Amino acid sequence: MALLNILKYPDPFLKTKAAPVQSIDLEVKKLISDMVETMAMARGIGLAATQVGVGKRVVVLNVPVGENDEERRERGKNLVVLVNPEIVGSSGSITYDEGCLSVPGVTAEVERFSNVTVKALDRDGAPFEIKAEGLFAIALQHEIDHLDGILFIDRLSRLKRELIKRKYKKAMERQDRAL
Ligand code: NI
């Protein structure tokens, strides 16, 4: 396994659309293992292949699904691997203060579906379906957006997006000075 470099906004690769995985070969299996390790090290709840510079439709998630669920999450027990995920059903709406490993240091409230049904293949190529709500549903939509080249800041109004971009730029400059 290896740690992968997480691309940061405004890296242009984050705007690219990922291609479906044709076969889950050794290369894809290694990508999945590396993404799981990278997500754990970054203490993220989700990571899309696009974020590590790979244009393949692969997502890994580790979302605390219930209350007091941090421990399960830390042990990686809520790990879900999705290859070629597709939202096949959605309903309701929910607003949540989202962040992203590719846009570190800023968060913003994004409105999404509160419930989604997602079809995907697992790491062995077996099809499965997830019915998700709350934070799990939000994370699924956020990560699938990454595969389509969409960041959470793209979901904000123009005014809010400009504010966040300014905040982000300042946060990045502070980080540069600290290094
Ligand atoms: Ni993200």
Side-chain angles (χ1 to χ4, degrees):
M1 293 215 286
L3 282 181
L4 304 168
N5 179 41
I6 299 175
L7 303 180
K8 306 287 190 294
Y9 176 81
D11 191 300
F13 194 83
L14 292 169
K15 283 200 168 289
T16 61
K17 195 172 158 78
V21 172
Q22 300 299 337
S23 89
I24 302 173
D25 53 18
L26 283 177
E27 194 188 334
V28 172
K29 288 192 175 176
K30 179 168 189 329
L31 170 68
I32 291 168
S33 304
D34 291 347
M35 283 173 64
V36 168
E37 196 188 0
T38 303
M39 173 175 66
M41 278 297 286
R43 304 184 66 83
I45 64 170
L47 188 68
T50 309
Q51 291 178 274
V52 292
V54 178
K56 289 185 174 147
R57 301 190 79 81
V58 175
V59 159
V60 296
L61 286 168
N62 187 14
V63 180
V65 285
E67 284 170 43
N68 305 319
D69 200 34
E70 273 305 312
E71 199 190 336
R72 277 180 62 85
R73 191 180 84 85
E74 293 209 344
R75 291 189 189 162
K77 286 188 176 169
N78 293 329
L79 184 67
V80 183
V81 174
L82 302 104
V83 176
N84 299 342
E86 201 183 326
I87 296 173
V88 293
S90 58
S91 64
S93 85
I94 187 169
T95 302
Y96 186 80
D97 196 32
E98 292 187 25
C100 179
L101 293 174
S102 292
V103 196
V106 293
T107 61
E109 291 201 336
V110 181
E111 189 182 353
R112 297 193 186 268
F113 296 116
S114 58
N115 296 68
V116 290
T117 304
V118 172
K119 272 188 181 171
L121 303 176
D122 69 15
R123 64 206 299 172
D124 298 313
F128 68 102
E129 195 177 284
I130 296 176
K131 282 190 193 303
E133 59 176 20
L135 183 57
F136 192 22
I138 291 165
L140 280 163
Q141 292 168 85
H142 177 117
E143 299 310 329
I144 293 171
D145 263 0
H146 273 303
L147 300 181
D148 291 323
I150 300 166
L151 297 172
F152 78 98
I153 53 174
D154 297 322
R155 296 257 177 223
L156 304 173
S157 70
R158 202 172 145 173
L159 188 69
K160 278 190 185 163
R161 188 164 54 245
E162 290 312 315
L163 269 167
I164 285 287
K165 278 186 186 172
R166 237 176 289 156
K167 235 176 156 178
Y168 176 71
K169 219 179 140 204
K170 274 187 194 158
M172 288 297 103
E173 283 167 5
R174 267 199 303 277
Q175 204 185 48
D176 280 348
R177 277 203 300 274
L179 284 173

